[in-house]
Structures are given as C-alpha cells and as structure tokens.
Amino acid sequence: MQKRAISSRFSEKAVSYEKYALVQKKMADHLSQLVTEIRNENEVQNILEIGCGTGGLTRVIRSHFSAAHYEAVEIASGMLEQAKNNLEQHGLICSFSQADAEEWVWEQQAKSKDLVVSGACFQWFAKPAHTLKGLRRILKPGAPLIFSTFGPDTFWELHDSFANAHAILGEKGVRHGLEFLSARDWHELLEQAGFTDIEVIRKYERLTYPGVRDFLHAVKAVGASASMEQGSGMGRRKLLAEMIRYYEQTYKREVGIPVTYEAIYVRAVCSFDDFCYRYENGYQIK
C-alpha cells in the first residue's frame, strides 16, 4: 500500500480517530506501563516516538519524562495537528516532524536516542527489517526500543468470512487488509537488526459491534479501511454483501458480532557490539 494513500487516509480521519480507536487506546495504556517501568529513567534524555497519531501515547510518556527532549514523527499531517493541539492543551512541549519514519530515521544522528517508542504503527512499515536496523543505528548502546503492533490473528473472523464469500461466489480468494507479521517474525527481525534482551508479549482484545457494517464503519473512522479495499463496482458489492451475510450468520451472538485483535508488545535493547559501526561503514551484516 502506497505511503501517500496511508498519509491521506489517516489525515482525513484524524478528528474521528479518538472516538473509534478503542483497541489502540488499550494498547497505548499497556505500552505506557512498559515504558514507565524503565529503571534508569534519569538517564533518558532524548526520546523518539514513531507514528504519534493524535498524541495519546505522546502525552502520557511526555508527562512521565518531563525533563527529556521529546521528538515525535508522524506521516499524516492531520494526525500531527491533532497531536500538537493535544499536547498544547496539557501544557506539554514536544518537537513534531511530519515525515516517513522509514526514510527519516536514516537521516538522523547515530547513537543519539535513549528511548524509541511506537504505538500501533510498525504494521504499516514497507521495509520493517531495514527500518529496524535504522532504529538500532540511532539508539545509544543499552537503550530500549519499545513498541506495539498488530499480529496475524487480528480480524480473523473478517478474513474467514471474506474467504468463504469468495468461495461461495466461485472466486479465487484474495487477502483483504494488511499482512501482519507474527510475534516470532518480529523477534527474528530484531535479532537480525542487532537487538538483544528481546521480550515479546501477545495479548488478545475482543470488541463487539451490533453488526458487521458498524464494525467496518469504525475501521473506516480510524483511517485503516484502505488496506481492506479490493476491487470495485458490482463485483465488490456482491462480495461485500456475501461476506457480511456469512460473518453475521456464523459469528453473531445475542450481544452482536465479535472482532478479535492480536496485540503484540515488544521490548528490546540496543546491544553494545559494533553493529552500528559495521552497518554505517558498509560492512555486510550477518
């Protein structure tokens, strides 16, 4: 999915994001707990947040590390404006940058950050392995990377319903939505990028909506619906109708339809070896 489309969609939905991003808020709460467990917090002087969104997580961490320099990067201009307003209302100071973090990170000074944090953003990376190496490069030795993202079991009811809808219509099935990396995938990528002391936690969150259309409306309201769109016209409408019919017939209960999220929380440490030196000077990384 093109970065321009991602930026545009999230900017358009910046105002409605807070109302509908229920699981993202839960993830931010858990992530902030992991961040505030840092023991040597007095040594945390330079913090970077990747994908700050509307600033919910930013506000909590900025408040906790009040003496640190805090920099937040966000690709969507609309989200960035909401984040700025959010922090200004609470009297908090933060340096904001609108940029594609996957490119931006390579332009920053090496070994300059005491903490890198990100909430529900890394699933949008086009080059996660390369970007993790870039984040590893700008962290000081011994500094942590703490982030949350979504795992492959997210929206499994939806994906099962789409697969069955394709089959019922005699069509070849296609994926609707992002291909999420698993907890094991992230662990391996972090090891390859030169991180140590890697901890990965999986948690399942389940929301309930009156019907499938209510769920799809909520997804659209947070800006994530573009990743689900496949095709157009009559064929797509028939597929969507069949998917909704199957989803509600198969999964709907008295309280509504369930929607499952697999939340992945990761904490890793920038190792003390010569990884950064080797990478910056063009040596092959094994």
Side-chain angles (χ1 to χ4, degrees), residues 47-61:
I47 301 172
L48 170 64
E49 182 182 356
I50 302 293
C52 66
T54 56
L57 179 64
T58 315
R59 185 179 68 248
V60 176
I61 300 177

Side-chain angles (χ1 to χ4, degrees), residues 69-98:
H69 173 73
Y70 199 108
E71 187 169 12
V73 177
E74 170 59 48
I75 195 172
S77 60
M79 290 285 187
L80 204 61
E81 287 304 311
Q82 290 291 318
K84 288 178 181 178
N85 293 336
N86 192 341
L87 265 71
E88 285 176 4
Q89 289 174 11
H90 291 82
L92 299 171
I93 298 174
C94 180
S95 175
F96 289 100
S97 298
Q98 184 186 353

